[in-house]
Amino acid sequence: MMKMTRPQLAILLFTAFYTLAYAAFYIRALNTEFIGYVGVIVIIFGLLYGTLDKTRMPTYILAGLSLWGLMHMMGGSVQTEDGVLYAWRIYPFYDGGGEFYILKFDQFVHGYLYAIVAMLFLHLLRHYFCNHHSQILVAFIALCAAMGVSALNELIEFIAVLTVPDNGVGGYFNLALDMVFNFAGALLGVIAYYLYHCCWSPGIEH
């Protein structure tokens, strides 16, 4: 493993701290759904930090994923007037009744996460291909890869529906809106990545 920079080490320690704290909280509450999500966060950061010497993952992507992990852990525990934080209705841009409501905290987190995931794939693809291939094609592959992770996430949530009583996954409209926000977030992430690297920081990270 390559030597970590101080910001990367700080991000790892911060992530480990809140992950352990929420693991204790969810184990005590016997919340098997979020105990499983704690395991997912451990696996994600284990892979990221275990391959830093090869991927040279930018610090801002590590920080972005750490922030997502914290929001995800808070989403199932912090109470609001609408229930847990994930159910919080931030603003009524559209209210179609029941689950068909925009904008909820859950949808914001989905969009945010897949913006970061798309940036992660863009970094990996550009690190591998450099500028030897069409950047439109690279961006499209990164977008599709992010949506592939999105589909895998929804499969995991479906398993939670089948195996965890009283889960908070939601129904059809929740699933469809999750996919919409996942795609919108990934698309914005791709656009933001290229704007940043073309306008403020040209070149490829090495």
Side-chain angles (χ1 to χ4, degrees):
M1 182 185 296
M2 70 178 293
K3 184 177 179 180
M4 287 182 284
T5 64
R6 285 186 178 181
Q8 290 171 341
L9 179 59
I11 291 166
L12 180 60
L13 292 175
F14 172 69
T15 306
F17 173 77
Y18 75 68
T19 301
L20 287 172
Y22 273 106
F25 172 82
Y26 286 121
I27 290 172
R28 185 176 180 181
L30 298 178
N31 187 327
T32 53
E33 180 185 357
F34 275 84
I35 292 171
Y37 290 145
V38 167
V40 170
I41 291 175
V42 171
I43 291 171
I44 289 172
F45 278 87
L47 288 172
L48 286 172
Y49 276 84
T51 57
L52 275 179
D53 59 327
K54 298 179 178 63
T55 65
R56 301 185 183 276
M57 195 61 62
T59 301
Y60 71 88
I61 290 179
L62 297 174
L65 286 171
S66 179
L67 179 58
W68 159 75
L70 178 60
M71 290 192 294
H72 190 48
M73 291 294 96
M74 292 173 62
S77 59
V78 176
Q79 295 295 316
T80 71
E81 60 184 8
D82 298 313
V84 293
L85 186 57
Y86 262 140
W88 177 37
R89 298 187 170 196
I90 299 174
Y91 189 81
F93 287 108
Y94 180 80
D95 188 353
E99 292 185 331
F100 200 177
Y101 183 96
I102 303 172
L103 176 72
K104 295 190 295 186
F105 181 78
D106 175 52
Q107 296 159 355
F108 169 78
V109 173
H110 272 268
Y112 169 83
L113 170 61
Y114 286 96
I116 302 298
V117 170
M119 291 180 186
L120 183 153
F121 281 116
L122 268 174
H123 166 76
L124 294 175
L125 289 165
R126 292 189 66 189
H127 185 73
Y128 181 78
F129 289 122
C130 294
N131 287 320
H132 303 315
H133 293 269
S134 165
Q135 291 303 299
I136 294 177
L137 177 60
V138 170
F140 178 72
I141 294 172
L143 183 62
C144 290
M147 291 310 296
V149 175
S150 166
L152 178 61
N153 178 67
E154 298 305 327
L155 286 175
I156 293 171
E157 290 193 351
F158 180 58
I159 292 172
V161 170
L162 297 177
T163 59
V164 179
D166 301 320
N167 64 82
V169 173
Y172 174 78
F173 280 117
N174 180 73
L175 168 63
L177 287 170
D178 282 353
M179 296 300 291
V180 169
F181 278 88
N182 292 349
F183 176 78
L187 183 60
L188 288 174
V190 168
I191 294 171
Y193 184 95
Y194 277 104
L195 284 175
Y196 174 76
H197 286 283
C198 292
C199 300
W200 289 283
S201 181
I204 308 296
E205 302 95 336
H206 293 288

